[in-house]
Amino acid sequence: MTTPHQVTPRLRTPVTETDHVRGPVDAPVTLVEYADFQCRFCGVAYANLAELLRQRADRVRLIYRHFPIANVHPYADDAAQVAEAAGIRGRFWELHDWLYEHQDQLDPVHLSLGVEQLGMSADEIDAEAGQQAHGDRVRRDFVGGIRSGVDATPTLFVNGSRHNGGYELADLLAAVDAATPE
């Protein structure tokens, strides 16, 4: 009789300097999130991750990667494109936060208004998004997620191993604390 092996999926695409990083570069715990700006579960995780970063500021860094599920969330890919356009201007995290705080307003009109609220040119960013100027980056993140076994959003990896717990604050704190070297 054999025993089935349970394999924890691993992050297949290593973190690089091109990733969107929040938190100290030398943090002992790296949390990689594959997410979709229009996913309501990602919206819940967003608030909990923000609090996690506040409570464990010296111990964790967050890497954000795009995983737009366009067949379920029609505005997710456009939101990712716009976020990347903001990122080219050094404003990724500002727009990231705006997108999660306004998840019910991701249609093109509201998205342009959000860009303007943050002081960027909606015309420039809309043109880039319309031309899929950042499509390679969004696709690279998505394919890296597929290779790492991502099948839903949000999916989190803690120090390279898939986090199979929840994304409530207590679950995230426990995962970070367990992964922090003594």
Side-chain angles (χ1 to χ4, degrees):
M1 179 170 182
T2 61
T3 304
H5 292 261
Q6 186 162 4
V7 178
T8 301
R10 303 272 313 153
L11 185 67
R12 301 288 178 211
T13 305
V15 173
T16 70
E17 68 282 345
T18 63
D19 277 303
H20 300 292
V21 180
R22 199 174 238 177
V25 174
D26 61 347
V29 178
T30 298
L31 187 63
V32 176
E33 175 190 23
Y34 282 91
D36 173 323
F37 287 116
Q38 200 175 356
C39 167
R40 65 185 175 97
F41 302 109
C42 294
V44 172
Y46 160 74
N48 294 330
L49 289 166
E51 183 59 21
L52 172 73
L53 289 172
R54 190 188 71 72
Q55 290 189 28
R56 301 291 189 269
D58 59 333
R59 293 198 290 190
V60 67
R61 69 177 173 158
L62 174 66
I63 311 302
Y64 185 90
R65 292 185 175 164
H66 302 285
F67 202 82
I69 304 174
N71 61 331
V72 177
H73 302 125
Y75 301 126
D77 191 62
D78 288 344
Q81 294 283 333
V82 169
E84 284 304 312
I88 295 295
R89 293 159 175 81
R91 313 277 298 274
F92 173 82
W93 288 107
E94 287 175 72
L95 192 59
H96 165 278
D97 294 351
W98 187 94
L99 291 167
Y100 279 119
E101 291 163 9
H102 298 87
Q103 275 192 307
D104 60 338
Q105 301 172 352
L106 299 185
D107 61 274
V109 172
H110 285 99
L111 203 50
S112 292
L113 291 172
V115 166
E116 287 177 351
Q117 286 175 1
L118 296 176
M120 294 178 279
S121 169
D123 291 339
E124 286 178 21
I125 289 181
D126 288 349
E128 287 177 34
Q131 297 168 356
Q132 297 279 308
H134 307 288
D136 286 347
R137 167 59 186 265
V138 174
R139 276 188 296 284
R140 185 176 70 234
D141 281 0
F142 190 87
V143 169
I146 295 291
R147 290 184 60 234
S148 299
V150 174
D151 56 4
T153 56
T155 295
L156 304 169
F157 291 85
V158 179
N159 285 349
S161 294
R162 185 171 176 151
H163 170 69
N164 289 319
Y167 47 85
E168 294 301 321
L169 181 58
D171 297 323
L172 296 173
L173 288 166
V176 167
D177 292 346
T180 302
E182 296 288 326

